[in-house]
Amino acid sequence: MQYKEFVTSICHMIQERLGPDITVRLQDILKNNDTHLDGLTILSDGCNLSPTIYLNSYFPQYRDGRSLSDICGEIETIYRENRPDGQMYRLITETLTRLADGGEKRA
């Protein structure tokens, strides 16, 4: 399996594992020194914040025999441990809204 097929398979498997209320996006992330990484972003309904999980380092592990299922399990764990919960999401959006409004405290 080539790298692009590997990345596509990971995206599809994560989507299947997490269900229809989740949006899985693959993005080309430009880092320092013109380095491009493939970032997987997993968004739940009503929340547009999510950690980006970089897939590039998983491909050598796959070539060395690690299963796609095991890799997807790790990615799912990373997502679940790092996604914002409802309270954190509300706090972040309220803070950003307040900052956008010039720092005024809302009544």
Side-chain angles (χ1 to χ4, degrees):
M1 179 182 304
Q2 298 297 318
Y3 178 74
K4 289 297 178 188
E5 186 180 356
F6 165 79
V7 169
T8 301
S9 296
I10 293 290
C11 290
H12 289 302
M13 288 180 75
I14 292 294
Q15 183 68 64
E16 287 177 13
R17 290 172 82 129
L18 297 178
D21 294 335
I22 298 295
T23 301
V24 176
R25 292 186 184 156
L26 181 65
Q27 298 175 309
D28 177 44
I29 308 293
L30 179 61
K31 301 299 272 188
N32 293 338
N33 299 322
D34 201 36
T35 301
H36 291 264
L37 297 177
D38 291 310
L40 186 72
T41 304
I42 303 167
L43 301 168
S44 58
D45 282 349
C47 181
N48 61 358
L49 297 175
S50 177
T52 298
I53 303 164
Y54 297 107
L55 301 179
N56 305 68
S57 64
Y58 289 108
F59 188 61
Q61 295 174 32
Y62 171 75
R63 282 193 319 218
D64 290 342
R66 188 173 182 193
S67 71
L68 284 174
S69 180
D70 188 48
I71 292 169
C72 286
E74 181 176 324
I75 291 169
E76 185 178 351
T77 298
I78 291 168
Y79 164 70
R80 292 191 188 282
E81 290 176 352
N82 294 284
R83 69 180 172 187
D85 62 15
Q87 183 178 4
M88 179 190 292
Y89 180 71
R90 280 189 299 279
L91 177 64
I92 291 169
T93 55
E94 287 171 5
T95 301
L96 291 174
T97 300
R98 193 170 54 249
L99 291 171
D101 290 343
E104 302 276 334
K105 197 169 196 174
R106 292 187 160 203

